[in-house]
Amino acid sequence: MNRAKITGTGMYIPEKVVTNFDLEKLMDTSDAWIRERAGIVERRFVESEIGAAGLAYEAAKKALENAQVEPKDIDLIIFATLSPEYQFPGSGVLLQEKLGLQGIPALDIRNQCTGFIYGLSVADQYIKTGMYKCIMVAGAEVHSTGLDMSTRGRDLAVLFGDGAGVAIVESSDDSDCGILSSHLHADGRFAKELYIENPGCLHIPRYTDEMFEDGSIYPYMNGRQVFKHAVVRFCEAIEECLKANNVSPDEVKLVIPHQANQRITEAVAQRFGYTMDRVFSNIHKYGNTTAASIPIALHEALMEGIINEGDYIVLVAFGSGFTWGSILLRW
Ligand SMILES: CC(C)(COP(=O)(O)OP(=O)(O)OC[C@H]1O[C@@H](n2cnc3c(N)ncnc32)[C@H](O)[C@@H]1OP(=O)(O)O)[C@@H](O)C(=O)NCCC(=O)NCCS
């Protein structure tokens, strides 16, 4: 059976840096509160109507270059985002159009912070069955245009940033390396602990002025509930992928967690006895970029030379849904 291997990555973040001090001017918050509670110092916000697919396109060009793959060699695009340009169609076809790849399939994934893990897992299955040989998996978000930047929305608005990351996943006959296994989970009982209610398609009528006034067009989060579940699920998911492959925590070179909150990352590291150099973190620079955070972190880890051939790498995420999952890679 063929293995799926990540052969190239790319990332793109908008140029505009928004510091905690910038947010202090918009709402009742402080640099100290944000750093202490979430580990975030700054994030990037878009300045033009570039959209999730536009951000992903920039990341995709770099990923293709790093993988030494021509756009025409891509068989499938998988696009994970919770902030698509339109309610429909999804961002996948928009990225496909930008790449000039008319005719190839584009699959949109709606699993929020776990979106990239779900996307990579789907890519793995298609490659294992032999249906496709070269798949682009993108994670991209434009959060900044949809956050409540007043004091009412401060618990969420300070956490999120915009950005994109892309991985090229190719079929390989090297049975020792690549995606060793993926493990996906969800628990819909917690769907409303982290969600945006409106404008959805449930209510009749679908759109009302009240939705804009009562703030239900902005994301809602039960922060404490999310925090509590995140730490448990991150740990379970890491254990699950290690156990499935008979790999001990000591053998892992690097854990790349979804960048939700530095305190969550530290709690997970502590649970496994990892020093912080073995658990990747860049949340101080970008905040939580949801589906983009793992591919951005993976790309930075590769560029920093932290990952070498033969290393065991764990990708792990938790987020809205609740959804969570992990992937064990051998580089
Ligand atoms: C959001 C989060 C940082 C809040 O931290 P916390 O320690 O739980 O803080 P609380 O929600 O208890 O709020 C403490 C106080 O800070 C206030 N506060 C909330 N946001 C604030 C902000 N941006 N600036 C200043 N004060 C803020 C609250 O109103 C509250 O005030 P009160 O004590 O007067 O009522 C934390 O719950 C968290 O990280 N949750 C998980 C978030 C996450 O990872 N989401 C993505 C999942 S993929």
Side-chain angles (χ1 to χ4, degrees):
M1 192 162 49
N2 288 343
R3 274 242 194 259
K5 202 171 174 180
I6 296 175
T7 54
T9 58
M11 65 177 273
Y12 180 75
I13 37 152
E15 276 175 25
K16 185 180 174 188
V17 176
V18 178
T19 66
N20 295 343
F21 296 106
D22 293 327
L23 297 182
E24 283 182 6
K25 293 174 201 144
L26 301 172
M27 61 187 84
D28 181 11
T29 190
S30 69
D31 175 58
W33 193 96
I34 303 169
R35 276 179 199 248
E36 194 185 299
R37 303 290 171 117
I40 299 165
V41 177
E42 59 188 40
R43 72 288 290 143
R44 304 294 182 103
F45 282 180
V46 296
E47 285 180 285
S48 64
E49 293 189 0
I50 184 169
L55 295 177
Y57 176 56
E58 298 303 325
K61 286 190 280 188
K62 290 175 199 147
L64 288 165
E65 195 183 310
N66 287 332
Q68 296 182 305
V69 162
E70 295 291 324
K72 66 172 175 46
D73 297 326
I74 302 291
D75 300 319
L76 165 70
I77 292 171
I78 299 177
F79 201 122
T81 185
L82 66 68
S83 50
E85 283 79 351
Y86 313 119
Q87 265 202 11
F88 71 86
S91 301
V93 294
L94 305 181
L95 177 59
Q96 185 229 46
E97 193 268 331
K98 287 177 194 300
L99 290 163
L101 294 175
Q102 288 77 358
I104 69 157
L107 179 65
D108 288 88
I109 300 263
R110 291 195 52 172
N111 291 96
Q112 297 67 250
C113 299
T114 321
F116 189 77
I117 298 280
Y118 269 72
L120 209 50
S121 175
V122 171
D124 183 33
Q125 310 316 310
Y126 276 129
I127 282 176
K128 276 186 192 146
T129 62
M131 184 157 171
Y132 298 120
K133 290 201 161 13
C134 185
I135 300 175
M136 175 178 284
V137 185
E141 304 288 356
V142 176
H143 283 303
S144 58
T145 52
L147 298 169
D148 181 354
M149 288 295 177
S150 71
T151 297
R152 180 179 66 177
R154 66 181 180 174
D155 58 330
L156 266 138
V158 302
L159 301 178
F160 293 94
D162 303 337
V166 167
I168 305 297
V169 185
E170 289 185 83
S171 175
S172 160
D173 48 21
D174 179 354
S175 60
D176 292 335
C177 296
I179 297 176
L180 300 187
S181 65
S182 60
H183 307 268
L184 307 178
H185 298 280
D187 190 341
R189 289 177 300 166
F190 301 100
K192 291 185 181 175
E193 300 292 2
L194 179 50
Y195 82 131
I196 301 184
E197 183 176 5
N198 290 310
C201 306
L202 170 68
H203 298 305
I204 305 170
R206 197 182 282 189
Y207 310 106
T208 65
D209 290 343
E210 289 73 51
M211 291 172 184
F212 291 86
E213 284 152 21
D214 68 16
S216 61
I217 58 160
Y218 296 115
Y220 162 81
M221 177 175 72
N222 180 344
R224 287 190 179 177
Q225 180 84 317
V226 171
F227 194 101
K228 212 172 64 188
H229 282 259
V231 174
V232 173
R233 297 307 193 187
F234 267 114
C235 292
E236 280 177 8
I238 294 171
E239 266 164 9
E240 188 179 13
C241 75
L242 295 182
K243 209 168 161 195
N245 295 282
N246 273 325
V247 172
S248 76
D250 290 347
E251 291 176 272
V252 173
K253 175 70 178 292
L254 188 67
V255 176
I256 301 183
H258 161 56
Q259 306 288 303
N261 181 317
Q262 185 62 15
R263 287 191 302 155
I264 294 176
T265 300
E266 284 169 10
V268 172
Q270 207 175 13
R271 160 73 185 74
F272 289 93
Y274 289 143
T275 47
M276 286 314 290
D277 56 330
R278 287 175 67 193
V279 185
F280 196 85
S281 173
N282 59 10
I283 194 167
H284 57 289
K285 295 188 285 185
Y286 310 128
N288 179 343
T289 57
T290 306
S293 88
I294 289 180
I296 288 176
L298 175 61
H299 179 75
E300 287 199 332
L302 285 165
M303 293 302 117
E304 288 169 24
I306 303 172
I307 299 174
N308 297 300
E309 213 175 300
D311 286 344
Y312 285 114
I313 309 295
V314 173
L315 310 181
V316 61
F318 172 88
S320 160
F322 291 150
T323 56
W324 63 99
S326 61
I327 286 180
L328 184 66
L329 303 172
R330 183 140 207 218
W331 207 259

